[in-house]
Amino acid sequence: MAALYITEDDVRSLMDMEKSILITHKVFKELAAGRANNEPRQRVKAPGIMLHTMSAASEYLGYVGWKAYTTTRDAAQFHVAIYDQETGEMRALIEGDFLGQLRTGAASGVATEYMARPDSKVVGLFGTGLQARTQLQAICLTRKIEFVSVYSRNFEHCSKFAEEMTELCDVEVTASHSPDETAAEKDIVICATSSKTPLFDGRVLDEGTHLNVIGSNHRSRREIDRTTIKRADVIVCDDIEQCKIEAGDFMQPVDEGITDWRLMHNLCEIVAERETGRATDDQVTLFKSVGLAVEDIAMGVKVYELALEEGLGVDLPF
């Protein structure tokens, strides 16, 4: 049986955020049950390029696989491959850019379901890139959002993004001139940027705010300040061990004794209800995502199954 090559256009026609959240919720259930394993990202450099690789086994699906992508100054290229667990044969090679945007948003959607107040209606969003789009889509599917304030350094770009997302999410989205105003008086704050320095002053956060912090997966990047971490009553990671390697938001605060890895929880523990994502309405809760291969593999398996049903994809010569 030949492996199937599945393009970005195919993925966009087959997958949406609603499906992605269901798939990702199952991923964290199975991680908690020990029926999935995740291997953290590795990086190698050459002049002008970096290669990122990560892998996972999904026993509950019957597949293993990897995600690999390159980043240069001008572009990034993403691929996900899945292999049959019994035969070891490759079943699909999938272009993985949109897939990655969906799975990252979906993870925040799952975290929001367990950690944000049920009556959350107002969102502050930092970032106007592709990841910011899927973050907001996921939150709007998880809570009954009524208003979103979005901030980026380019106000013209921010205004255009606000207009597009108002239509896409059917919610009022407005561009903000002030980072602190974007974070203040919000039920949910989303950080989806490539910033190397904190985006806002943690003192402006209201009690009861939930934060999804997803932009940094490198030790040189930080979207939140020490005050935000100090104020967080509950800190949850998609994977603590991978965050120890990649979460620049936490590394210096841990070294300074502001927080401790032992005080944090894995999202799978929250989903399995071994730990509590929120105990009271006034707690500040924080979800930190760096992105897991086990999410990509589960998403890839579903895309493969749907592609077979719809007759999409092209057979590879092996």
Side-chain angles (χ1 to χ4, degrees), residues 72-254:
T72 65
R73 180 174 296 179
D74 300 320
Q77 302 288 331
F78 299 83
H79 288 89
V80 172
I82 58 170
Y83 299 79
D84 187 287
Q85 184 175 298
E86 291 188 4
T87 67
E89 294 176 335
M90 181 186 284
R91 292 298 183 214
L93 181 61
I94 305 163
E95 293 181 359
D97 191 2
F98 185 59
L99 198 73
Q101 296 163 35
L102 285 173
R103 66 88 150 122
T104 308
S108 291
V110 173
T112 298
E113 179 62 36
Y114 287 86
M115 300 179 69
R117 297 193 326 272
D119 63 350
S120 296
K121 298 177 182 178
V122 183
V123 173
L125 171 62
F126 291 87
T128 56
L130 297 174
Q131 291 287 357
R133 292 174 66 89
T134 50
Q135 287 291 311
L136 187 55
Q137 285 179 278
I139 272 55
C140 288
L141 285 172
T142 308
R143 289 290 185 266
K144 293 181 179 180
I145 303 304
E146 296 179 356
F147 177 77
V148 179
S149 175
V150 59
Y151 175 83
S152 73
R153 288 174 294 182
N154 185 324
F155 187 76
E156 182 179 348
H157 188 191
C158 191
S159 297
K160 183 178 179 182
F161 176 89
E163 184 177 331
E164 292 173 354
M165 296 307 291
T166 294
E167 182 174 350
L168 182 63
C169 296
D170 192 25
V171 64
E172 183 183 356
V173 183
T174 64
S176 170
H177 288 278
S178 165
D180 284 352
E181 286 181 7
T182 303
E185 299 180 341
K186 301 299 186 296
D187 302 315
I188 299 171
V189 172
I190 303 166
C191 301
T193 75
S194 59
S195 179
K196 294 185 177 181
T197 57
L199 299 166
F200 58 88
D201 186 336
R203 291 175 295 182
V204 306
L205 293 170
D206 271 10
E207 289 186 351
T209 298
H210 170 66
L211 298 100
N212 291 318
V213 182
I214 70 98
S216 165
N217 61 10
H218 196 277
R219 61 178 59 245
S220 68
R221 296 178 180 175
R222 295 177 62 196
E223 294 184 291
I224 52 175
D225 62 9
R226 295 172 180 83
T227 302
T228 298
I229 293 171
K230 285 180 181 178
R231 294 195 59 196
D233 299 289
V234 180
I235 299 178
V236 173
C237 300
D238 53 1
D239 183 79
I240 293 171
E241 292 306 310
Q242 191 161 325
C243 280
K244 287 180 180 179
I245 301 168
E246 298 183 337
D249 298 286
F250 292 155
M251 290 178 181
Q252 191 172 343
V254 167

Side-chain angles (χ1 to χ4, degrees), residues 31-47:
L31 276 171
R35 290 189 290 266
N37 294 295
N38 185 77
E39 188 67 22
R41 188 175 0 243
Q42 300 291 318
R43 293 179 168 98
V44 293
K45 291 182 180 179

